[in-house]
Amino acid sequence: HLEITRHIPNSVDNLDENDPFVRTAADFPISTQVRYHSIVAQANAEVALADSDDGLVPYRSAHLPGAQSEKIIISGHSVQQSAAAVLEIQRILREDIALREAHFMQP
């Protein structure tokens, strides 16, 4: 099904969960060759994680099954600005470096 639009789609269109590209891409599997981690914001710690959101994105959309790790940070949508997120990114990068070094050091 081809949807004809009067404008060229852009990244703002991709913010809408009903955007055709977003709906199609959501069903694409993540390659088993890709290691990925997830940092998820939860705006209200008193809400059950499965029912929570970051004030904008629901947990069910942010959760990525198969992630190597998932870090929940009590924060709003701009979680990337939090010290906890920066520390988690550092942890992930250090872990990746250690894995790569171990791999290349094998005989």
Side-chain angles (χ1 to χ4, degrees):
H1 167 70
L2 177 64
E3 183 176 314
I4 298 174
T5 62
R6 294 181 184 255
H7 73 283
I8 297 172
N10 58 46
S11 60
V12 174
D13 296 320
N14 296 151
L15 295 174
D16 182 350
E17 66 182 306
N18 295 314
D19 176 66
F21 173 79
V22 171
R23 295 186 64 78
T24 300
D27 293 331
F28 291 167
I30 298 174
S31 170
T32 57
Q33 296 179 3
V34 174
R35 290 175 28 93
Y36 56 96
H37 299 261
S38 185
I39 299 174
V40 179
Q42 182 179 13
N44 185 344
E46 295 180 15
V47 174
L49 184 59
D51 299 325
S52 71
D53 60 42
D54 66 3
L56 186 61
V57 177
Y59 172 78
R60 68 182 181 280
S61 291
H63 172 73
L64 297 173
Q68 299 292 307
S69 69
E70 179 177 87
K71 177 74 171 181
I72 307 300
I73 298 174
I74 305 305
S75 172
H77 184 64
S78 296
V79 66
Q80 75 280 0
Q81 297 174 357
S82 72
V86 172
L87 290 172
E88 180 63 4
I89 292 167
Q90 288 177 337
R91 183 198 67 77
I92 291 166
L93 292 173
R94 286 187 181 113
E95 179 182 288
D96 188 63
I97 289 169
L99 286 171
R100 289 176 186 277
E101 286 176 348
H103 176 75
F104 289 115
M105 297 299 281
Q106 292 179 359

